[in-house]
């Protein structure tokens, strides 16, 4: 045993770190309603430990599932027996994780001061928090760091505030990383924070926005989960709160909001990846944002950034009926995805959550919209499934770069359409 631990240490693997050797990600097509039901049944077999990366909620949409190596044979037999068509998207999950880890090691080996931050690499929570302090130091008249609460494990919840002065001005809220394993989102958050700071006084749109409004950006919205993805389980999604009476840890923080709470697309099972929690706003990480937005009272836009599947979404998720502002948001989304595609040709779909991907109760933007924040959007960043949550770091800057014009479109629209 001791020899094994030494060997793992040499590989840069901690003895508590979960490995995914031989696990595969399968893309399955559900062609009839019965298929969706069968995939739901498959997901409920806890012994199989199937992890849905894209959920089975509507016909014609691909379903991506990570299947642990010991379950592969059984799952493939099940799919064949029920006449599913499927393909292998990722042959060996651990190979991608090893490449990702090596890429981070290479970035650290290049001697950098904290002011030479590598935006093209993934970073730990400590590295991101340290960089936030540098950003504030470099732009003291524009950027400040605000603590809005503490996580379940007592980590600070930090928000970057971009402001040119004034009190209680109209504000835009952005968050990344509410789902811990979606590393491209925190990386895009860091790049975006730097972009906003650099472009004020240079870019007319950014300057106009910040001359009239404040921007708040929470980069690590789920710090406990994010730290856990670096230390123990790269594919952890939820928070890290203890669930009374269950051996399973954590709540899906994007099913925990008081908007259609407990509805379709969420689960009452604490072992589920989409467990909604014991009650709305049970998670400190969610409650902190709720309290902040309510206390502020003048937040005009909420943009919550996720991955993956290349979509720009707006309310509702918990019901199919169009939101009162559907037409305006649809037109804005259409322009934003067009400007995003103009950068590198990356194609996004857009529409309401319920009618574009699936019904989902308890989401951030539905709560924001129901609480008076008209311009509430969710971005699902790259990719469309080749790498899923394990997007190579070489795609960080291209992803952030193409996302920027879409964000700017939304923020300019908010500026120009006060309410």
């Amino acid at each position: 045993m001791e020899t094994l631990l030494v060997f793992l240490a040499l590989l840069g693997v901690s003895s508590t770190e979960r490995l995914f050797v031989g696990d595969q990600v399968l893309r399955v097509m559900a062609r009839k309603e019965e298929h969706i039901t069968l995939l739901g049944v498959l997901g409920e077999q806890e012994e199989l430990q199937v992890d849905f990366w894209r959920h089975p909620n509507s016909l014609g949409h691909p379903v991506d599932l990570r299947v642990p190596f010991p379950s592969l044979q059984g799952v493939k037999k099940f799919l064949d027996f029920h006449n599913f068509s499927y393909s292998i998207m990722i042959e060996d999950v651990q190979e991608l994780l090893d490449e990702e880890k090596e890429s981070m090691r290479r970035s650290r080996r290049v001697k950098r001061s904290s002011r030479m931050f590598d935006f093209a690499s993934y970073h730990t929570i400590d590295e991101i928090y340290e960089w936030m302090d540098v950003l504030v130091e470099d732009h003291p008249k524009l950027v400040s760091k605000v603590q809005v609460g503490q996580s379940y494990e007592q980590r600070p919840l930090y928000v970057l505030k971009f402001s040119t002065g004034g009190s209680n001005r109209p504000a835009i809220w952005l968050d990344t990383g509410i789902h811990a394993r979606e590393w491209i989102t925190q990386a895009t958050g860091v790049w975006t924070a730097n972009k906003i700071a650099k472009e004020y006084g240079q870019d007319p749109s950014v300057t106009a926005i910040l001359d009239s409004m404040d921007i708040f950006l929470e980069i690590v919205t789920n710090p406990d989960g994010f730290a856990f993805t670096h230390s123990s389980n790269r594919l952890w999604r939820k928070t890290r709160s203890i669930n009374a009476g269950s051996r399973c840890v954590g709540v899906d923080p994007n099913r925990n909001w008081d908007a259609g709470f407990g509805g379709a697309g969420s689960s009452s099972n604490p072992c589920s990846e989409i467990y909604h929690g014991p009650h709305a706003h049970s998670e400190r990480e969610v409650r902190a944002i709720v309290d902040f937005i309510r206390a502020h009272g003048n937040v005009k836009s909420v943009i919550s950034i996720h991955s993956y599947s290349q979509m720009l979404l707006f309310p509702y998720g918990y019901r199919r009926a169009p939101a009162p502002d559907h037409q305006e948001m649809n037109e804005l989304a259409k322009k934003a995805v067009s400007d995003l595609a103009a950068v590198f040709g990356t194609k996004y779909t857009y529409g309401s959550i319920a009618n574009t991907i699936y019904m989902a109760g308890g989401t951030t933007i539905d709560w924001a919209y129901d609480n008076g924040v008209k311009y509430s959007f969710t971005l699902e960043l790259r990719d469309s499934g080749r790498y899923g949550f394990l997007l190579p770091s070489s795609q960080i800057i291209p992803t952030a770069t193409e996302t920027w014009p879409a964000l700017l479109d939304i923020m300019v629209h908010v500026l120009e359409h006060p309410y």
Side-chain angles (χ1 to χ4, degrees):
M1 182 66 184
E2 194 174 324
T3 312
L4 176 62
L5 293 179
V6 170
F7 176 66
L8 290 173
L10 288 170
L11 289 176
V13 176
S14 79
S15 58
T16 56
E17 191 170 350
R18 180 165 172 189
L19 300 177
F20 297 89
V21 178
D23 289 19
Q24 292 186 346
V25 176
L26 307 181
R27 169 154 291 183
V28 182
M29 296 307 293
R31 307 222 178 265
K32 47 191 179 183
E33 287 295 337
E34 182 197 4
H35 279 168
I36 291 177
T37 306
L38 286 166
L39 288 170
V41 170
L42 189 68
E44 286 164 9
Q45 309 306 307
E46 282 186 28
E47 71 281 1
L48 294 177
Q49 304 234 300
V50 171
D51 173 16
F52 283 93
W53 285 16
R54 291 176 76 163
H55 284 267
N57 289 79
S58 54
L59 293 178
H61 285 281
V63 177
D64 295 347
L65 46 141
R66 179 186 59 78
V67 184
F69 179 69
S71 304
L72 265 176
Q73 196 177 356
V75 169
K76 287 178 177 177
K77 277 184 178 172
F78 175 90
L79 295 173
D80 289 335
F81 181 79
H82 291 288
N83 298 314
F84 283 94
S85 61
Y86 66 90
S87 57
I88 298 169
M89 297 296 281
I90 300 176
E91 191 76 42
D92 186 336
V93 170
Q94 191 61 43
E95 281 185 14
L96 286 186
L97 295 182
D98 292 344
E99 286 169 22
E100 182 178 76
K101 193 167 274 197
E102 179 53 35
S103 167
M104 288 175 75
R105 268 201 293 268
R106 277 198 304 271
S107 171
R108 288 198 188 103
R109 275 201 297 267
V110 177
K111 184 63 182 156
R112 300 172 187 276
S113 74
S114 55
R115 289 180 194 282
M116 287 291 292
F117 190 84
D118 184 2
F119 292 99
S121 177
Y122 291 118
H123 292 276
T124 64
I125 186 170
D126 292 337
E127 289 167 344
I128 292 172
Y129 280 2
E130 189 180 313
W131 173 81
M132 287 165 69
D133 290 333
V134 172
L135 188 73
V136 172
E137 281 173 31
D138 287 350
H139 304 274
K141 292 184 178 170
L142 180 69
V143 190
S144 57
K145 188 175 79 173
V146 181
Q147 184 173 343
V148 296
Q150 278 192 320
S151 69
Y152 181 83
E153 293 177 348
Q154 305 296 305
R155 289 182 176 86
L157 300 169
Y158 288 134
V159 174
L160 289 172
K161 179 183 182 182
F162 300 83
S163 179
T164 54
S167 60
N168 203 44
R169 300 200 304 177
I172 293 166
W173 171 277
L174 294 135
D175 63 68
T176 57
I178 198 167
H179 285 146
R181 65 188 176 186
E182 296 168 8
W183 281 12
I184 186 58
T185 71
Q186 297 96 336
T188 297
V190 167
W191 186 96
T192 303
N194 189 60
K195 183 76 169 172
I196 294 168
K198 282 198 326 189
E199 294 293 348
Y200 178 73
Q202 305 293 318
D203 179 278
S205 296
V206 175
T207 306
I209 292 162
L210 286 173
D211 279 344
S212 300
M213 306 182 78
D214 295 340
I215 298 173
F216 294 92
L217 170 51
E218 186 174 14
I219 296 172
V220 187
T221 306
N222 176 5
D224 298 346
F226 187 52
F228 195 71
T229 61
H230 282 273
S231 69
S232 305
N233 180 347
R234 170 63 180 85
L235 295 174
W236 188 261
R237 168 185 168 99
K238 300 190 286 182
T239 61
R240 293 293 300 161
S241 54
I242 302 298
N243 293 313
S246 174
R247 61 183 170 76
C248 294
V249 172
V251 165
D252 182 343
N254 198 39
R255 299 294 185 274
N256 190 236
W257 301 72
D258 191 10
F261 176 81
S266 68
S267 172
S268 58
N269 176 4
C271 297
S272 168
E273 292 288 354
I274 51 173
Y275 174 50
H276 51 56
H279 55 85
H281 307 162
S282 61
E283 302 311 282
R284 291 181 190 178
E285 299 81 0
V286 171
R287 166 58 67 181
I289 303 173
V290 167
D291 290 347
F292 177 85
I293 290 175
R294 282 184 173 152
H296 187 282
N298 206 13
V299 174
K300 300 299 183 183
S301 177
V302 165
I303 305 170
S304 188
I305 299 179
H306 290 252
S307 76
Y308 62 96
S309 60
Q310 297 172 194
M311 294 177 176
L312 178 52
L313 306 169
F314 48 83
Y316 283 109
Y318 70 85
R319 61 182 186 186
R320 293 205 182 272
D325 301 293
H326 177 92
Q327 191 170 346
E328 182 185 356
M329 290 195 287
N330 202 56
E331 287 301 313
L332 177 52
K334 182 181 180 181
K335 175 175 172 28
V337 302
S338 171
D339 290 342
L340 184 154
V343 183
F344 297 119
T346 308
K347 297 281 188 280
Y348 270 54
T349 51
Y350 62 94
S352 72
I353 300 170
N355 293 313
T356 308
I357 37 173
Y358 46 62
M359 296 277 286
T363 65
T364 308
I365 65 166
D366 278 1
W367 177 86
Y369 188 78
D370 279 352
N371 282 270
V373 182
K374 179 178 176 183
Y375 299 111
S376 294
F377 290 91
T378 283
L379 273 156
E380 293 276 357
L381 303 182
R382 290 190 188 185
D383 58 5
S384 56
R386 166 64 187 90
Y387 295 102
F389 301 122
L390 305 177
L391 199 69
S393 57
S394 58
Q395 293 196 41
I396 293 172
I397 291 176
T399 300
T401 302
E402 71 190 6
T403 305
W404 174 247
L407 290 174
L408 216 46
D409 282 342
I410 296 169
M411 293 193 289
V412 167
H413 187 90
V414 174
L415 173 69
E416 294 175 350
H417 296 81
Y419 64 93

